Amino acid sequence: MTTDALSATFAALADPTRRAILARLSEGEATVGELAAPFDISLPAVSRHLKVLQNAGLISQGREAQWRPCRLETAPLREADGWIGAYRRFWDGGFGKMDAYLAQIQKEERDGE
């Protein structure tokens, strides 16, 4: 099954453990062991989460001697932000309309008192 990059990014971001791993990697590179430490799940389970993130292009793994540090890759996040940003004007505009409506109701209530 082929999945487009944006769908893979959102699918990877759907899991709170994977989001927590990305949050940790936003602070800098980390080994698999360092990434696994805060979680009460097995190392193989963490490795599966890392594989999903890697397949989505959200992380990469280097090779330094026997270490394989993970690092955050920002391109897929930029693509997701761009996609979301295209819809931002709809909800920003919607909130502006709601603010105006609430202000109108409050004014009418004050004028009616």
Side-chain angles (χ1 to χ4, degrees), residues 34-54:
E34 291 168 337
L35 293 171
F39 302 107
D40 190 26
I41 56 177
S42 69
L43 197 55
V46 171
S47 292
R48 286 191 293 274
H49 282 297
L50 294 175
K51 188 71 172 166
V52 170
L53 291 169
Q54 199 169 16

Side-chain angles (χ1 to χ4, degrees), residues 55-113:
N55 287 341
L58 291 162
I59 68 167
S60 60
Q61 280 190 300
R63 193 177 282 277
E64 297 174 17
Q66 68 267 32
W67 302 101
R68 294 187 48 90
C70 297
R71 72 183 58 84
L72 184 63
E73 298 294 338
T74 58
L77 294 172
R78 275 194 293 265
E79 182 182 351
D81 182 55
W83 185 86
I84 291 168
Y87 295 94
R88 190 168 285 123
R89 68 182 172 100
F90 292 110
W91 68 71
D92 285 348
F95 288 134
K97 289 176 188 175
M98 185 186 316
D99 288 342
Y101 177 69
L102 292 174
Q104 177 187 348
I105 290 173
Q106 290 171 344
K107 182 182 181 306
E108 290 171 0
E109 287 177 354
R110 282 191 305 270
D111 292 346
E113 291 178 359

